[in-house]
Amino acid sequence: MHSKAVCQSWFSTQKISDNLYLISEPHYYWWNRANLWLIKGRDRDLLIDTGLGVASLRQYIASLIDKPLLAIASHIHFDHAGGMHEFDERAIHAAEAEALQKGDDYEALCTPAQGWVLEEHFDLLPYPGFTVETYTLNAAEPTQILQEGDVLDLGDRAFEVLHLPGHSPGCIALYEPKSQDLFSGDVIYDGELLDELHCSDIPTYIATYERLEKLPIETVYPGHYTFFGKERYQQIIAEYLAARRKPGCPSEKL
């Protein structure tokens, strides 16, 4: 890996609106590159997901932060929770709190044997001497344990925590009923959905999608790829359910 150059800046920022920023890691493989969403509220800010943790996200966003910040992991996987250890206020769902606390590489999908962290996925190095062999999820004690129905109040906006397992046991999304915005992590995005990981469960994912079908949506801000509206949202759900429900066997409600 030594032949690769070191990048000037590991992150890039796109301003979506006055109070919403999309931060990403452009030198990392697009297929697994997570969207990190910074929501600016009146009284506090939210950071949804923290990327790989190979460069200082906290330092990178320092100029955008002027009030208390809560960093949230939509779930424990390394591309979302890698930078959690950098932040003072850290939240994750109860089902994956222990994995974050222990820095559990297996639950984060980043042990070498799992084959998710590969040298060819890094176009440039985040810092001199970086190697995928030494990559690990940094342990971080959660300061807040999230549960279904919790409300994260920013003063002028309030997001409801939806526990939506299937991709992994602790997957959450944040939903704002007023705007009908959904920050969906890896629960739903416009790309290949991963439901056959060791931590995934297809019947659970089906139940999650049956629940999401009924949720009024204006815009989805997902954990990967581009954001989309209600028409595409319903289409993705319908396609998944059609592919995964067993013919002639109505799925049981969980």
Side-chain angles (χ1 to χ4, degrees), residues 73-93:
S74 64
H75 61 304
I76 192 62
H77 293 162
F78 71 94
D79 47 321
H80 299 266
M84 289 292 284
H85 67 284
E86 282 203 291
F87 296 92
D88 297 332
E89 300 293 323
R90 302 177 288 270
I92 192 167
H93 187 267

Side-chain angles (χ1 to χ4, degrees), residues 22-232:
L22 168 57
I23 297 148
S24 64
E25 301 176 282
H27 308 300
Y28 179 65
Y29 183 38
W30 68 270
W31 186 83
N32 206 39
R33 183 189 305 157
N35 294 329
L36 320 178
W37 300 101
L38 176 63
I39 304 170
K40 305 279 293 164
R42 188 190 67 206
D43 303 333
R44 63 197 292 218
D45 298 336
L46 283 184
L47 175 64
I48 303 169
D49 289 330
T50 57
L52 300 167
V54 295
S56 179
L57 178 60
R58 183 178 178 167
Q59 205 176 316
Y60 178 76
I61 63 170
S63 62
L64 295 172
I65 304 301
D66 52 5
K67 56 184 83 74
L69 173 75
L70 176 64
I72 294 170
S74 64
H75 61 304
I76 192 62
H77 293 162
F78 71 94
D79 47 321
H80 299 266
M84 289 292 284
H85 67 284
E86 282 203 291
F87 296 92
D88 297 332
E89 300 293 323
R90 302 177 288 270
I92 192 167
H93 187 267
E96 293 175 352
E98 190 183 348
L100 181 61
Q101 179 195 20
K102 290 181 170 172
D104 188 329
D105 284 349
Y106 181 70
E107 291 307 322
L109 301 183
C110 62
T111 68
Q114 286 166 300
W116 284 98
V117 185
L118 300 174
E119 187 183 325
E120 58 265 32
H121 290 174
F122 293 81
D123 295 338
L124 295 174
L125 300 188
Y127 56 85
F130 170 82
T131 67
V132 296
E133 290 78 18
T134 55
Y135 180 83
T136 187
L137 179 76
N138 284 292
E141 184 74 46
T143 60
Q144 189 174 344
I145 304 295
L146 300 174
Q147 302 279 9
E148 168 72 32
D150 286 353
V151 174
L152 303 173
D153 190 351
L154 308 188
D156 51 349
R157 304 186 71 176
F159 291 90
E160 190 181 327
V161 174
L162 307 181
H163 179 217
L164 300 167
H167 173 72
S168 77
C171 270
I172 59 158
L174 296 186
Y175 179 65
E176 184 181 37
K178 190 172 68 172
S179 64
Q180 298 182 355
D181 284 348
L182 182 72
F183 288 83
S184 65
D186 277 6
V187 176
I188 185 167
Y189 52 79
D190 196 353
E192 183 192 350
L193 297 168
L194 301 181
D195 62 3
E196 294 181 343
L197 303 164
H198 82 271
C199 50
S200 308
D201 185 73
I202 291 169
T204 305
Y205 218 144
I206 289 170
T208 279
Y209 269 28
E210 288 172 339
R211 178 185 177 191
L212 287 179
E213 243 181 336
K214 303 175 186 77
L215 192 69
I217 286 295
E218 194 54 47
T219 310
V220 178
Y221 298 96
H224 295 278
Y225 315 120
T226 188
F227 49 93
F228 51 92
K230 54 188 159 192
E231 198 175 315
R232 184 65 187 133

